[in-house]
Amino acid sequence: HQYLLLGQIYQGLGNAHEAIKAYEQYWFYYHNDPDTLNKKAAVLMDIGQYDVAAEDIRISLSMLSVGNIGALLNRVRYYLNQRAFEEARKDLEQVEKLVPEHANLFYYWGRYHEEKWNYQEAIHYFEKAKAAGSKQHALDYKIEELKQMLER
């Protein structure tokens, strides 16, 4: 389990390449843990490797009989990057059925509406995410930025 721990440490330190290597080592030994692929996919997307991350997300989701919230939200992030809004919306609705008050669900609904230029709705969801304890960075800045855009 040391590789998983190392991956999490490197990810927390912002060392994406070492985190990816550690997650890959863990996956080599414990290839029945879809959460490891999901963690690796998040790091890959952090460094802009969305296409590589998509395969890890696909494998992670195929291993689960019930939707994995983290993997579904990672797929939403991927879809938003690809501007595949219908697919993103479907996954958000699936997560909403499973955990309707999840902080990251609110965050990604906000991102969805922001990408579709529905700034008022985006602000609403970002504020809900903040109130629910989302750990997404710079939510205050994002909310203020969108409010300024509405004023223009």
Side-chain angles (χ1 to χ4, degrees), residues 1-125:
H1 295 274
Q2 74 250 19
Y3 292 116
L4 181 61
L5 182 59
L6 273 174
Q8 292 169 331
I9 290 169
Y10 283 129
Q11 187 175 2
L13 292 172
N15 189 337
H17 296 290
E18 290 299 320
I20 290 167
K21 283 181 6 186
Y23 288 139
E24 286 173 345
Q25 283 290 341
Y26 183 80
W27 178 253
F28 179 79
Y29 293 107
Y30 302 99
H31 52 271
N32 60 346
D33 180 4
D35 193 47
T36 303
L37 287 178
N38 192 42
K39 290 177 189 314
K40 181 180 151 207
V43 176
L44 287 165
M45 288 189 290
D46 287 345
I47 60 173
Q49 294 186 14
Y50 284 85
D51 290 337
V52 179
E55 181 64 10
D56 286 342
I57 295 167
R58 185 193 64 74
I59 293 168
S60 176
L61 287 170
S62 73
M63 295 176 73
L64 302 163
S65 57
V66 176
N68 175 304
I69 304 307
L72 285 170
L73 290 174
N74 263 346
R75 191 164 67 181
V76 167
R77 182 178 169 192
Y78 170 78
Y79 284 149
L80 290 174
N81 176 266
Q82 302 299 306
R83 304 195 62 74
F85 297 121
E86 184 61 23
E87 290 85 353
R89 185 188 56 76
K90 287 177 185 176
D91 278 353
L92 285 167
E93 289 172 348
Q94 186 176 351
V95 172
E96 198 166 46
K97 288 177 187 168
L98 297 169
V99 284
E101 297 298 316
H102 195 281
N104 283 336
L105 169 67
F106 298 141
Y107 172 78
Y108 282 108
W109 269 123
R111 292 274 300 112
Y112 170 84
H113 286 291
E114 179 185 16
E115 291 293 326
K116 294 193 70 154
W117 301 351
N118 300 327
Y119 297 140
Q120 194 63 50
E121 279 296 301
I123 291 167
H124 167 74
Y125 280 106

